[in-house]
Coordinates of all heavy atoms in Angstrom, one line a residue:
R1 N 117.2 158.1 51.2 CA 116.7 156.7 51.6 C 115.1 156.8 51.6 O 114.5 157.8 51.9 CB 117.1 156.3 53.0 CG 118.6 156.1 53.0 CD 119.1 155.7 54.4 NE 118.3 154.5 54.9 CZ 118.3 154.1 56.2 NH1 119.0 154.8 57.1 NH2 117.6 153.1 56.5
T2 N 114.5 155.7 51.3 CA 113.1 155.6 51.3 C 112.6 154.5 52.3 O 113.4 153.5 52.5 CB 112.4 155.4 49.9 OG1 113.0 154.2 49.4 CG2 112.7 156.6 49.0
F3 N 111.4 154.6 52.7 CA 110.9 153.6 53.6 C 109.5 153.1 53.0 O 108.8 153.9 52.5 CB 110.6 154.1 55.0 CG 111.9 154.4 55.7 CD1 112.3 155.7 55.8 CD2 112.6 153.4 56.4 CE1 113.5 156.0 56.5 CE2 113.8 153.7 57.0 CZ 114.2 155.0 57.1
I4 N 109.3 151.8 53.1 CA 108.0 151.3 52.6 C 107.1 151.0 53.9 O 107.5 150.4 54.8 CB 108.2 150.0 51.8 CG1 109.0 150.3 50.6 CG2 106.9 149.3 51.5 CD1 109.5 149.0 49.9
H5 N 105.9 151.6 53.8 CA 104.9 151.4 54.9 C 103.7 150.7 54.3 O 103.3 151.0 53.2 CB 104.5 152.7 55.4 CG 105.6 153.6 55.9 ND1 106.1 153.5 57.2 CD2 106.3 154.5 55.3 CE1 107.0 154.4 57.4 NE2 107.2 155.0 56.2
W6 N 103.2 149.7 54.9 CA 102.0 149.1 54.6 C 100.9 149.7 55.5 O 101.1 149.8 56.7 CB 102.1 147.6 54.8 CG 103.0 146.9 53.8 CD1 104.3 146.8 53.9 CD2 102.6 146.4 52.5 NE1 104.8 146.2 52.8 CE2 103.8 145.9 51.9 CE3 101.4 146.2 51.9 CZ2 103.8 145.3 50.7 CZ3 101.4 145.6 50.6 CH2 102.6 145.2 50.0
R7 N 99.8 150.1 54.9 CA 98.7 150.7 55.7 C 97.4 150.0 55.5 O 97.0 149.6 54.5 CB 98.6 152.2 55.2 CG 99.9 153.0 55.3 CD 99.7 154.4 55.0 NE 99.2 154.6 53.6 CZ 99.0 155.8 53.0 NH1 99.3 156.9 53.7 NH2 98.5 155.9 51.8
L8 N 96.7 150.0 56.7 CA 95.3 149.6 56.6 C 94.4 150.8 56.6 O 94.6 151.7 57.5 CB 95.0 148.7 57.9 CG 93.5 148.3 58.1 CD1 93.0 147.5 56.9 CD2 93.3 147.6 59.4
L9 N 93.6 150.9 55.6 CA 92.8 152.1 55.4 C 91.3 151.8 55.6 O 90.8 150.8 55.1 CB 93.0 152.7 54.0 CG 94.4 153.0 53.6 CD1 94.6 153.3 52.2 CD2 95.0 154.1 54.5
D10 N 90.6 152.7 56.3 CA 89.1 152.6 56.4 C 88.6 153.4 55.1 O 88.9 154.5 54.9 CB 88.7 153.3 57.7 CG 87.2 153.0 58.0 OD1 86.5 152.4 57.2 OD2 86.8 153.4 59.1
V11 N 87.8 152.7 54.3 CA 87.3 153.3 53.1 C 85.9 153.9 53.4 O 85.0 153.2 53.8 CB 87.1 152.3 52.0 CG1 86.6 152.9 50.7 CG2 88.5 151.6 51.7
I12 N 85.8 155.2 53.3 CA 84.6 155.9 53.6 C 84.0 156.5 52.3 O 84.6 157.3 51.7 CB 84.8 157.0 54.6 CG1 85.4 156.4 55.9 CG2 83.6 157.8 54.9 CD1 86.1 157.3 56.8
E13 N 82.8 156.0 51.9 CA 82.2 156.5 50.7 C 81.5 157.8 51.0 O 80.8 158.0 52.0 CB 81.1 155.5 50.2 CG 80.6 155.8 48.9 CD 79.7 154.7 48.3 OE1 79.6 153.6 48.9 OE2 79.1 154.9 47.3
Q14 N 81.8 158.8 50.1 CA 81.2 160.1 50.2 C 80.4 160.4 48.9 O 80.6 159.7 47.9 CB 82.3 161.2 50.4 CG 83.0 160.9 51.8 CD 84.1 162.0 52.0 OE1 84.8 162.3 51.1 NE2 84.1 162.5 53.2
A15 N 79.7 161.5 48.9 CA 78.9 161.9 47.7 C 79.8 162.1 46.5 O 79.5 161.8 45.3 CB 78.1 163.1 48.0
N16 N 81.0 162.6 46.7 CA 81.9 162.9 45.6 C 83.1 161.9 45.4 O 84.1 162.2 44.9 CB 82.5 164.3 45.8 CG 83.3 164.5 47.1 OD1 83.2 163.6 47.9 ND2 84.0 165.6 47.2
G17 N 82.9 160.7 46.0 CA 84.0 159.7 45.8 C 84.3 159.0 47.1 O 83.3 158.7 47.9
Y18 N 85.5 158.8 47.4 CA 85.9 158.0 48.6 C 86.9 158.8 49.4 O 87.7 159.6 48.8 CB 86.5 156.7 48.2 CG 85.6 155.7 47.6 CD1 85.4 155.7 46.2 CD2 84.8 154.9 48.3 CE1 84.5 154.9 45.6 CE2 83.9 154.0 47.7 CZ 83.7 154.0 46.4 OH 82.9 153.2 45.8
R19 N 86.9 158.6 50.7 CA 87.9 159.2 51.6 C 88.6 158.0 52.3 O 87.9 157.0 52.6 CB 87.3 160.1 52.6 CG 88.3 160.8 53.5 CD 87.6 161.7 54.5 NE 87.0 160.8 55.5 CZ 86.1 161.1 56.3 NH1 85.6 162.3 56.3 NH2 85.6 160.3 57.2
Y20 N 89.8 158.1 52.6 CA 90.5 157.0 53.3 C 91.1 157.5 54.6 O 91.8 158.6 54.6 CB 91.7 156.5 52.4 CG 91.2 155.9 51.1 CD1 91.2 156.7 49.9 CD2 90.7 154.6 51.0 CE1 90.7 156.2 48.7 CE2 90.2 154.1 49.8 CZ 90.2 154.9 48.7 OH 89.7 154.5 47.5
E21 N 90.9 156.8 55.6 CA 91.5 157.1 56.9 C 92.5 156.0 57.3 O 92.1 154.8 57.3 CB 90.5 157.2 58.0 CG 89.6 158.5 57.8 CD 88.6 158.7 58.9 OE1 88.5 157.9 59.8 OE2 87.8 159.6 58.7
V22 N 93.7 156.3 57.6 CA 94.7 155.3 58.1 C 94.4 154.8 59.5 O 94.2 155.6 60.4 CB 96.1 156.0 58.1 CG1 97.1 154.9 58.6 CG2 96.5 156.4 56.7
I23 N 94.2 153.5 59.6 CA 93.9 152.9 60.9 C 95.2 152.5 61.5 O 95.4 152.7 62.7 CB 93.0 151.7 60.7 CG1 91.6 152.1 60.2 CG2 92.9 150.9 62.0 CD1 90.7 151.0 59.9
C24 N 96.1 151.9 60.7 CA 97.4 151.5 61.3 C 98.4 151.3 60.1 O 98.0 151.2 59.0 CB 97.4 150.3 62.2 SG 96.8 148.8 61.3
S25 N 99.7 151.3 60.5 CA 100.7 151.1 59.4 C 101.8 150.2 60.0 O 102.0 150.2 61.2 CB 101.2 152.4 58.8 OG 102.1 153.0 59.7
S26 N 102.6 149.6 59.1 CA 103.7 148.7 59.6 C 104.6 148.6 58.4 O 104.3 148.7 57.2 CB 103.1 147.3 59.9 OG 104.2 146.4 60.2
V27 N 105.9 148.3 58.7 CA 106.9 148.0 57.6 C 106.7 146.6 57.1 O 107.2 146.3 56.0 CB 108.3 148.2 58.1 CG1 108.6 149.7 58.4 CG2 108.7 147.3 59.3
N28 N 106.0 145.8 57.8 CA 105.7 144.4 57.4 C 104.2 144.3 57.0 O 103.3 144.8 57.8 CB 106.0 143.4 58.5 CG 105.8 142.0 58.2 OD1 105.0 141.6 57.3 ND2 106.4 141.1 59.0
P29 N 103.8 143.7 55.9 CA 102.4 143.7 55.5 C 101.5 142.8 56.3 O 100.3 143.0 56.4 CB 102.4 143.3 54.0 CG 103.7 142.5 53.9 CD 104.7 143.2 54.9
Y30 N 102.1 141.8 56.9 CA 101.2 140.8 57.5 C 100.5 141.2 58.8 O 99.4 140.8 59.0 CB 101.9 139.4 57.6 CG 102.2 138.9 56.2 CD1 103.4 139.1 55.6 CD2 101.1 138.4 55.5 CE1 103.6 138.6 54.3 CE2 101.3 137.9 54.2 CZ 102.6 138.1 53.6 OH 102.7 137.7 52.3
P31 N 101.1 142.0 59.6 CA 100.3 142.6 60.8 C 99.2 143.4 60.3 O 98.1 143.5 61.0 CB 101.4 143.4 61.5 CG 102.7 142.8 61.2 CD 102.5 142.4 59.8
I32 N 99.3 144.0 59.1 CA 98.2 144.8 58.6 C 97.0 143.9 58.3 O 95.8 144.2 58.5 CB 98.6 145.6 57.3 CG1 99.7 146.6 57.6 CG2 97.4 146.3 56.6 CD1 99.4 147.6 58.7
G33 N 97.3 142.7 57.7 CA 96.2 141.7 57.4 C 95.6 141.3 58.7 O 94.4 141.1 58.8
E34 N 96.4 141.0 59.8 CA 95.8 140.6 61.1 C 94.9 141.7 61.6 O 93.9 141.4 62.1 CB 97.0 140.3 62.0 CG 97.8 139.1 61.6 CD 99.1 139.0 62.4 OE1 99.3 139.8 63.3 OE2 99.8 138.0 62.1
A35 N 95.4 143.0 61.5 CA 94.6 144.1 62.0 C 93.3 144.2 61.3 O 92.2 144.4 61.8 CB 95.3 145.4 61.9
L36 N 93.3 144.0 60.0 CA 92.1 144.0 59.1 C 91.1 143.0 59.6 O 89.9 143.3 59.8 CB 92.4 143.8 57.7 CG 91.3 144.1 56.7 CD1 91.8 144.5 55.4 CD2 90.4 142.9 56.5
I37 N 91.5 141.8 59.9 CA 90.6 140.7 60.4 C 90.0 141.1 61.7 O 88.8 141.0 61.9 CB 91.4 139.4 60.5 CG1 91.8 138.8 59.1 CG2 90.6 138.4 61.3 CD1 92.8 137.7 59.2
I38 N 90.8 141.7 62.6 CA 90.3 142.1 63.9 C 89.3 143.2 63.7 O 88.2 143.2 64.3 CB 91.4 142.5 64.8 CG1 92.3 141.3 65.2 CG2 90.9 143.2 66.1 CD1 93.6 141.6 65.8
Y39 N 89.6 144.2 63.0 CA 88.7 145.4 62.8 C 87.4 144.9 62.1 O 86.3 145.4 62.4 CB 89.4 146.5 62.0 CG 90.2 147.4 62.9 CD1 91.6 147.2 62.9 CD2 89.6 148.4 63.6 CE1 92.4 148.1 63.7 CE2 90.4 149.2 64.4 CZ 91.7 149.1 64.5 OH 92.5 149.9 65.3
H40 N 87.5 144.1 61.1 CA 86.3 143.6 60.4 C 85.4 142.9 61.3 O 84.2 143.1 61.3 CB 86.7 142.7 59.2 CG 85.5 142.2 58.5 ND1 84.7 143.0 57.7 CD2 85.0 140.9 58.4 CE1 83.8 142.2 57.2 NE2 83.9 141.0 57.6
I41 N 85.9 142.0 62.1 CA 85.1 141.2 63.1 C 84.5 142.1 64.1 O 83.3 142.0 64.4 CB 85.9 140.1 63.7 CG1 86.2 139.0 62.6 CG2 85.2 139.5 64.9 CD1 87.2 138.0 63.1
Q42 N 85.3 143.1 64.6 CA 84.7 144.0 65.7 C 83.7 144.9 65.2 O 82.7 145.2 65.8 CB 85.9 144.8 66.3 CG 86.8 144.0 67.2 CD 87.9 144.9 67.7 OE1 88.2 146.0 67.2 NE2 88.5 144.5 68.8
R43 N 83.9 145.5 64.0 CA 83.0 146.5 63.5 C 81.9 146.1 62.6 O 80.8 146.6 62.6 CB 83.8 147.5 62.6 CG 84.8 148.3 63.4 CD 85.5 149.3 62.5 NE 86.4 150.1 63.3 CZ 87.1 151.1 62.8 NH1 87.0 151.4 61.5 NH2 87.9 151.9 63.5

């Protein structure tokens, strides 16, 4: 069996490319969008 996870990632630019840090995940994509709005406004 497999599971699908939607993840909100913080994109961190580095000298040799990008690094991604998982902020949150959900089986439903729409809470990820809500979290993105909140994090964007806060940060």
